Amino acid sequence: MSDKTFSRKLAEFAADTSFSSLPEAVVHQARRCLLDTVGVIIAGSAMADSAQAIQGFVKKCAPAGKASVIGTLLKTDSAHAALANGVAAHALELDDGSKYATYHPGASMIPAALALAEERGATVEDVLLAIALGYEVSLRIGTSVNPSHYLKGFHPTGTVGTFGTTVVSASLLGLNADELVSAIGIVGSLAAGINQYEIDGSFVKHLHPGNAARNGMFAALLAQNGFTGPEEILEGRLGFAHCFSDTFNPSILEKDLGEKWEFQKIYFKPYCSCRYVHYAVEAVENILRGHPMTMDDIQSIRVLTHKNAKQGSDIPDYQTVLHARLSLQYGMGSMIVRGRAGLQEYTEESIKDERVKKIASLIEIEADPEIQKTYPEIRTTIVEITDTDGQIFASRVDYAKGDPLNPMSDEDLMDKFRDVTQTVLTAGRQKKVMDWIMDEGTLTNPVQELTDMLLW
């Protein structure tokens, strides 16, 4: 065992794991991720300009096929369907994530799984297995190179996500371990995504999970047809970890593999903004609950947090809706001015609100060395609001809502699904989709039954 490469160990785990061997809790988590991501895709497809732009591209350029572009009547090949649905899944910043691997797995893996499953007539059981395996492998890879990978400027949703979508695709295509080793080696050269979008709020962030979904399929299909990739793609001298990160913790790649599931540690999002913003918004909510105040009562606001939040979300001069979704200042300002930071607060008109901009100008973000010591296990954010009388009101949030230690229940996720899809789906169709995904009796049903519900 010790002489095997890490990609081989991960490939053998994925190739040898059957649905019947999955713990019940892992299967249930896969259903939760499927429900959450389908809801987010529906909302993104209907509300996000970037999603509609990619749909227009697919309509013009992609061939006809069997895979659905959710929220449209378009049917295309699996690669283009996964691309479009991946963009929609990430477009509203509502998708699930990992604080350890620092990325959003569902936005790429579930679009890949649905598209391939629909194209090839796969069942719910097939998809749930593929989701569980794709998440688990890529979460371990992402954790092994972060936070350095992110801090170097890479967007792990685009880079790390490619490994997960390769495993998802390999599972649905029936690749053996040798083929999956090559597929992982191939996709390591296709891993792409940098964070320059943080500077100007451009759409390209949303492209990263869609591209990861497409690249994962591509790598798996190439490997199935005899194309090869380097086996030491993860740990090699010129491999992913060396080229993409300053630190590498390889032990996580194999520790308790198949026994303890990293998949159980993902978080779900109650707010449509960058996860770092959630902590600050919750802290503001806590302060206002105990000490109601208006924007005119505030002299200054200080935020203490970790390096990732400082680098990615200290955006006082937000320019676009995406920029605002990433901005700690905007989320906090919206909560102070309007008492809300939901979907309706992230529109072109809403981000022009001068009252929120005034609050944003009062906020200073600091990366705190003591907080950094516990990152990523505890991603603390402390907000201190000083009022015009010089009084300081503070709140500390260690585990924002949706964290495994402050979880969203199944009912919370269904409430979220209803909320984000209410402008698109009738209450009857919402219930039908939720029941179908969460019903244990649908295991042998073809996934096309679900995707047929998502076209209109």
Side-chain angles (χ1 to χ4, degrees):
M1 185 74 174
S2 60
D3 60 343
K4 292 181 180 178
T5 63
F6 287 115
S7 59
R8 182 160 294 278
K9 292 173 184 178
L10 293 170
E12 289 180 353
F13 157 73
D16 294 344
T17 300
S18 64
F19 182 82
S20 61
S21 69
L22 293 178
E24 184 178 336
V26 169
V27 174
H28 186 68
Q29 183 78 317
R31 288 187 186 277
R32 284 162 54 84
C33 291
L34 180 58
L35 173 66
D36 189 62
T37 305
V38 164
V40 170
I41 295 171
I42 292 168
S45 176
M47 301 178 197
D49 291 343
S50 57
Q52 287 160 21
I54 205 75
Q55 289 166 10
F57 165 78
V58 169
K59 188 173 183 179
K60 289 178 183 177
C61 302
K66 297 180 180 179
S68 302
V69 177
I70 292 172
T72 76
L73 294 174
L74 291 172
K75 292 268 193 175
T76 183
D77 65 298
S78 56
H80 283 91
L83 171 68
N85 294 334
V87 170
H90 199 45
L92 298 180
E93 294 290 331
L94 279 164
D95 41 330
D96 65 25
S98 166
K99 65 183 182 182
Y100 304 99
T102 319
Y103 83 121
H104 301 282
S108 59
M109 269 165 274
I110 287 172
L114 289 176
L116 266 180
E118 186 175 16
E119 186 176 71
R120 292 170 182 267
T123 66
V124 177
E125 183 177 296
D126 299 326
V127 164
L128 295 178
L129 173 62
I131 289 170
L133 296 174
Y135 271 73
E136 186 65 16
V137 170
S138 56
L139 286 168
R140 287 172 177 267
I141 293 171
T143 302
S144 76
V145 295
N146 275 302
S148 170
H149 178 59
Y150 174 87
L151 292 172
K152 282 177 72 68
F154 292 105
H155 187 205
T157 299
T159 55
V160 173
T162 59
F163 294 105
T165 60
T166 299
V167 173
V168 165
S169 302
S171 179
L172 288 164
L173 292 169
L175 268 62
N176 61 37
D178 287 337
E179 291 169 330
L180 182 48
V181 168
S182 276
I184 292 171
I186 292 165
V187 91
S189 289
L190 302 180
I194 54 176
N195 287 333
Q196 182 64 20
Y197 61 79
E198 291 175 353
I199 307 304
D200 61 9
S202 54
F203 281 172
V204 73
K205 180 179 195 285
H206 304 159
L207 183 62
H208 293 168
N211 188 54
R214 181 176 59 178
N215 282 346
M217 290 181 188
F218 182 46
L221 287 166
L222 283 174
Q224 192 176 47
N225 282 277
F227 213 90
T228 62
E231 183 157 336
E232 290 189 325
I233 190 63
L234 298 175
E235 72 271 30
R237 182 173 62 86
L238 300 175
F240 181 80
H242 175 80
C243 294
F244 284 64
S245 181
D246 292 326
T247 60
F248 179 42
N249 175 21
S251 64
I252 187 62
L253 294 173
E254 59 181 333
K255 184 180 180 182
D256 299 321
L257 183 61
E259 298 174 16
K260 295 183 180 179
W261 288 73
E262 294 296 308
F263 184 28
Q264 297 291 71
K265 299 178 183 178
I266 66 162
Y267 63 75
F268 296 93
K269 283 185 171 185
Y271 298 113
C272 56
S273 54
C274 175
R275 183 59 172 172
Y276 305 141
V277 177
H278 293 204
Y279 290 74
V281 166
E282 284 193 23
V284 167
E285 245 187 325
N286 294 340
I287 292 169
L288 295 181
R289 191 179 300 118
H291 307 279
M293 62 183 82
T294 68
M295 58 180 291
D296 294 328
D297 298 322
I298 296 172
Q299 177 178 302
S300 63
I301 301 173
R302 181 181 182 224
V303 179
L304 301 176
T305 188
H306 49 84
K307 290 179 183 178
N308 284 48
K310 170 67 177 175
Q311 175 173 300
S313 293
D314 183 2
I315 306 175
D317 186 26
Y318 44 87
Q319 300 297 313
T320 67
V321 173
L322 168 60
H323 232 189
R325 291 187 193 282
L326 302 178
S327 170
L328 282 160
Q329 286 90 342
Y330 182 80
M332 295 167 68
S334 182
M335 184 59 67
I336 290 166
V337 170
R338 308 169 181 132
R340 302 180 305 276
L343 279 171
Q344 297 310 310
E345 284 65 61
Y346 288 90
T347 65
E348 292 288 352
E349 189 61 31
S350 295
I351 69 169
K352 297 174 184 175
D353 192 326
E354 292 298 329
R355 299 172 302 165
V356 178
K357 289 183 177 180
K358 180 180 178 181
I359 293 295
S361 71
L362 302 178
I363 299 172
E364 294 294 329
I365 316 291
E366 299 177 26
D368 183 80
E370 291 303 308
I371 288 174
Q372 194 64 37
K373 289 177 182 178
T374 65
Y375 182 91
E377 183 65 40
I378 307 174
R379 301 207 292 188
T380 299
T381 294
I382 299 170
V383 174
E384 299 173 348
I385 298 180
T386 302
D387 71 9
T388 51
D389 293 328
Q391 296 183 89
I392 299 174
F393 304 98
S395 176
R396 171 184 179 132
V397 175
D398 291 334
Y399 302 102
K401 182 68 174 176
D403 187 276
L405 294 178
N406 184 14
M408 292 179 73
S409 66
D410 289 358
E411 190 55 46
D412 287 334
L413 288 178
M414 287 188 275
D415 285 343
K416 175 184 172 181
F417 183 92
R418 295 183 191 100
D419 179 54
V420 302
T421 65
Q422 64 181 312
T423 62
V424 184
L425 302 184
T426 63
R429 192 185 289 197
Q430 286 177 328
K431 184 176 186 306
K432 187 176 180 182
V433 172
M434 289 189 292
D435 287 349
W436 194 95
I437 291 174
M438 300 304 287
D439 184 1
E440 294 180 5
T442 61
L443 274 179
T444 59
N445 293 35
V447 167
Q448 189 172 343
E449 289 184 6
L450 172 63
T451 52
D452 282 349
M453 298 182 214
L454 308 178
L455 300 175
W456 56 85

